[in-house]
Amino acid sequence: MSKPWLLVSPASRGIGLQLARHLLKTTHAPVIATARKDLHSTKDQILNNLDVDKQRLKVLELDVTNENTITHAASQCTQLFPASMHHLRLAFCIPGILHPEKSPQQIEYNNALSTFQINALGPLMLSKPFSSFLPRRSIELVPHDNLPSSAVLALMSARVGSISDNKLGGWYSYRASKAAVNSIAKSVDIFLRQRCNDKGMAVALHPGTVKTDLSEDFWGSTPKEKLFSVEFAAEKLVEVVNSVGLEGRGKCWDWEGKEIPP
């Protein structure tokens, strides 16, 4: 019987940290969390006040702008979870950065480059090794409480990544990077359809406006009922990946489980 394990990358703060905590609380599977640095501090934050088996959590060093660290983390996972006995059931690949740009004149090359490196290339490079950990079509998946029936590779997008929904403009590099994430999710899902059939899929996710460092400049202009806590966002994102099913593969879904058009 193939046993599931879970991945949250990165998980050092914000939504990622809360996703790791939520998965530890609501499932029985081992959780791999990643951080660029301060691994012990990240582990302490994730486990803070949780009544769970601490051995289920491992924090690995990973920087999405450095492929060597991605390759090394994947190699560690291969050792921890041999393919003959384990499969990756749920992976949140969610690196993100935001440099607001209200006009083209505010675009700075280095900021735009960093935005694409982290927001678009980040999940793409995470997909490179970690998609191979999803179950092959020959694996029999056993139902597990609070985990999707098919394995899911979930990439962090945003509503502003929708080209057809773009009514306001602005945020040029951020919008473009998230549109790229939607394209990546679709392409990776096609690969997973061929490799895993109905055993694995990819989706893109929009968490809403969440009270994190990334969105801090917009807290004041966001209606209170539309500004979500990280705990709420993590809970809703897990609900979405558990509920969209195979008919939702390759698409972008918001925190309410509603499809966002490309």
Side-chain angles (χ1 to χ4, degrees), residues 3-252:
K3 299 178 182 178
W5 60 280
L6 317 175
L7 171 71
V8 182
S9 182
S12 55
R13 59 181 180 173
I15 297 175
L17 191 150
Q18 291 302 324
L19 279 168
R21 287 174 58 82
H22 183 80
L23 293 173
L24 285 168
K25 287 189 293 184
T26 59
T27 76
H28 298 289
V31 175
I32 297 294
T34 76
R36 288 188 299 113
K37 57 183 180 179
D38 301 330
L39 305 189
H40 293 297
S41 174
T42 297
K43 186 171 186 177
D44 288 343
Q45 290 183 73
I46 294 173
L47 292 173
N48 185 39
N49 290 327
L50 290 188
D51 183 18
V52 298
D53 178 5
K54 294 178 173 56
Q55 299 303 311
R56 287 174 50 214
L57 174 68
K58 293 190 182 300
V59 181
L60 304 181
E61 181 180 0
L62 191 154
D63 180 347
V64 295
T65 65
N66 183 337
E67 188 176 4
N68 288 336
T69 69
I70 300 174
T71 301
H72 182 62
S75 177
Q76 291 176 280
C77 290
T78 298
Q79 296 175 7
L80 290 167
F81 307 109
S84 60
M85 300 172 57
H86 302 269
H87 67 274
L88 178 56
R89 188 62 158 260
L90 178 56
F92 286 98
C93 302
I94 55 173
I97 192 172
L98 169 62
H99 296 287
E101 302 149 341
K102 295 182 179 180
S103 71
Q105 288 69 38
Q106 292 182 330
I107 301 171
E108 296 184 7
Y109 183 88
N110 287 336
N111 285 346
L113 180 61
S114 175
T115 297
F116 277 92
Q117 283 181 319
I118 294 172
N119 291 0
L121 279 177
L124 180 60
M125 297 311 295
L126 288 170
S127 300
K128 178 181 176 179
F130 287 105
S131 61
S132 66
F133 289 104
L134 271 66
R136 299 297 292 250
R137 59 175 64 207
S138 59
I139 297 295
E140 181 180 355
L141 293 186
V142 177
H144 288 269
D145 290 343
N146 302 313
L147 288 178
S149 56
S150 298
V152 178
L153 186 71
L155 311 184
M156 188 66 84
S157 184
R159 188 175 300 279
V160 297
S162 169
I163 296 173
S164 60
D165 190 56
N166 184 359
K167 306 296 193 300
L168 299 176
W171 294 20
Y172 299 90
S173 58
Y174 185 77
R175 281 185 185 274
S177 71
K178 293 303 186 179
V181 170
N182 294 342
S183 176
I184 291 165
K186 177 64 175 180
S187 294
V188 172
D189 182 68
I190 292 172
F191 167 77
L192 292 175
R193 187 190 296 266
Q194 297 166 346
R195 181 184 185 276
C196 309
N197 196 9
D198 61 352
K199 304 297 173 62
M201 66 182 197
V203 297
L205 299 174
H206 166 56
T209 303
V210 184
K211 202 169 184 180
T212 65
D213 293 344
L214 183 145
S215 66
E216 187 171 3
D217 290 343
F218 311 102
W219 292 356
S221 59
T222 301
K224 190 174 182 180
E225 67 276 10
K226 294 292 185 179
L227 182 59
F228 305 140
S229 69
V230 287
E231 294 84 359
F232 177 84
E235 179 181 345
K236 299 304 291 186
L237 292 180
V238 172
E239 285 182 8
V240 171
V241 296
N242 285 345
S243 64
V244 293
L246 287 168
E247 60 275 12
R249 65 186 311 160
K251 301 176 182 179
C252 182

